[in-house]
Amino acid sequence: MDIQTQKKEPMFATDNIKALDALDRAHMIAFAPYVWEASKLLIEKGVLTVVDQSGANGITLEEIVPQTELSHYAVRVLLEAGLGIGLVYRKEDRFILAKTGYFLLKNEMTRVNYEFMRDVCAEGASSLEASLQNEKPEGLKVFGDWSTLYEGLSVFPEPAKGSWLAFDHYYSDNTFDVALDMVFASNPKKILDIGGNTGKWSLQSLQHNPQVEMGIVDLPGQLAMAEKNIDAAGFKGRVQYYNHNVLDNSLSLPEGYDIIWMSQFLDCFSDAEIIGILKKCHKAAGPETRIFINETFWDRQKFETSAFALQMTSLYFTTMANGNSQMYDSAVFYKLIDEAGFDIIATNDNIGLSHTILELRKK
C-alpha cells in the first residue's frame, strides 16, 4: 500500500496558548453575536472600505461619516467595536485598516467563507441544538420544507444559492488541475461522476480528453443544471445522466466505468450512509476500476486555521445540509472505506487549497 502520510505533530494535541491570549479568545466567544453583526455592518455599509481607501495616513470619524449612509453615532460605535475586534486601529484620531480587517475585506477565501456564513448559515445557526438532538437540519426551514438542502438546492433563493455554489466551487475547483492528471494517468475511456452537481468536474474532464465519456449521478435538480451547462459548452451526446438517489438501496449504480469519481460528496452523508454508498460503488466496480475520493479532512490540514474552518463547516452540515454529516477526521473516514470493502492504494495530501485525494481499489 503506497500511502503518502504527513509526518508532523498532530494538531490540537496540546494547550499551548498563553493565558492572556486564551482570555482574549474566551471574551471574543462570549461577545460573538455582536462581533459578527458589527463586522458585517462595517463591511456592508462600506465603512471598512472607506478606511482602507485612506491608506496608511488613516481617516477621522468626521471624514468617514459623510461617505456612508450611517449616522455619526452609528459609525462611532461600529468603529469602536472594530478596534476591539481588531479590524481597525487608531493613531491619535485617525482610523487605519488593521491586518485582520484587510483579510476580512480583501482575501478571496475569507470573502467566500464569510458570504457562505452570511447567506446560507447565519439565520439557521441558532437551530444547532435542535439539529443535533433530532439529527435533522432544523435550520434549513428558513429556506424551505426539504429534508436535506440538496433536494432544494436547484431552487434555492438568492443570494443563498449563489453563495453556496461559490463556496463549493471555490474549494473543489482548486484541485482540478492536479486531479485530472491523476485520474487520466490510466487513460480511462469512461468516468462516472457521482454527485456531479453543476457538472464542473465532468466539463473539465471532457475538455481534458476529447475521447472520454462521462456519466453523472445526482438528483433531478442538479442533473438539470449540469446538463444545461454541458450542452452549452458543446458536449451534448458525450454524457449519460443518471437520476439516482444514492440513499435508495433499491437502486444500483451504473456499471462499466473505468473510474468512479466523488468530489466533496461523501462528506454530505453520515457514517452509515457513506458505507452504503461505497458498497454501491463496490458492486458497480470491476477488479480494475479505480475509485477517486476528493475530500477535505480537518486533521490533514497544514494549519490549524484551515482545520478550524472545516470544523465550523461541519456545523453547517448539522444545521443546514442534512443533520448527520461533517468534514471528517481521516481516521474515522478510513475505517468506513475499509468496512465497505476497499483498500486505499494512494493518499495525496495538500491538493489545491486543503484537499486530500484518495485512490481506492476493491480488496
Side-chain angles (χ1 to χ4, degrees), residues 176-289:
F176 284 173
D177 287 345
V178 175
L180 285 167
D181 289 337
M182 292 181 188
V183 168
F184 281 92
S186 61
N187 194 29
K189 302 297 186 293
K190 297 181 69 177
I191 298 174
L192 186 65
D193 181 2
I194 302 179
N197 204 354
T198 61
K200 276 209 165 186
W201 166 257
S202 289
L203 264 174
Q204 292 281 330
S205 297
L206 293 164
Q207 291 164 352
H208 184 81
N209 186 304
Q211 279 78 47
V212 74
E213 295 180 17
M214 300 297 299
I216 301 180
V217 172
D218 217 320
L219 298 172
Q222 281 83 322
L223 287 179
M225 289 191 292
E227 186 169 9
K228 180 180 178 181
N229 292 334
I230 288 168
D231 286 356
F235 294 109
K236 188 172 185 177
R238 286 176 59 192
V239 182
Q240 294 291 317
Y241 299 93
Y242 301 97
N243 177 2
H244 182 110
N245 181 350
V246 294
L247 298 181
D248 185 344
N249 291 325
S250 69
L251 301 175
S252 296
L253 291 171
E255 299 181 10
Y257 285 87
D258 305 306
I259 300 289
I260 296 174
W261 167 264
M262 289 174 281
S263 178
Q264 295 185 178
F265 177 68
L266 291 175
D267 55 44
C268 301
F269 301 95
S270 70
D271 296 19
E273 289 167 345
I274 290 172
I275 294 171
I277 294 166
L278 287 174
K279 284 184 175 180
K280 281 191 170 190
C281 293
H282 194 279
K283 182 179 178 182
E288 299 303 318
T289 303

Side-chain angles (χ1 to χ4, degrees), residues 45-47 50 63-71 75:
K45 297 302 181 181
V47 177
V50 172
E63 291 169 332
I64 295 171
V65 172
Q67 300 184 59
T68 76
E69 61 184 48
L70 300 172
S71 69
V75 175

Side-chain angles (χ1 to χ4, degrees), residues 17-89:
I17 188 171
K18 295 179 180 178
L20 284 177
D21 292 335
L23 183 60
D24 287 345
R25 185 174 295 184
H27 276 87
M28 193 71 75
I29 294 168
F31 286 98
Y34 283 133
V35 171
W36 167 258
E37 291 297 332
S39 300
K40 183 173 71 170
L41 288 172
L42 284 165
I43 294 169
E44 296 181 10
K45 297 302 181 181
V47 177
L48 285 187
T49 298
V50 172
V51 175
D52 175 48
Q53 290 171 346
S54 71
N57 292 328
I59 187 170
T60 67
L61 175 62
E62 287 69 24
E63 291 169 332
I64 295 171
V65 172
Q67 300 184 59
T68 76
E69 61 184 48
L70 300 172
S71 69
H72 187 280
Y73 165 78
V75 175
R76 187 176 72 213
V77 295
L78 286 173
L79 277 173
E80 289 174 359
L83 290 171
I85 297 167
L87 302 178
V88 294
Y89 64 103

Side-chain angles (χ1 to χ4, degrees), residues 128-144:
L128 178 59
E129 182 177 0
S131 299
L132 289 167
Q133 289 175 337
N134 302 331
E135 293 191 9
K136 294 180 180 179
E138 300 293 356
L140 183 59
K141 293 174 183 176
V142 303
F143 293 119

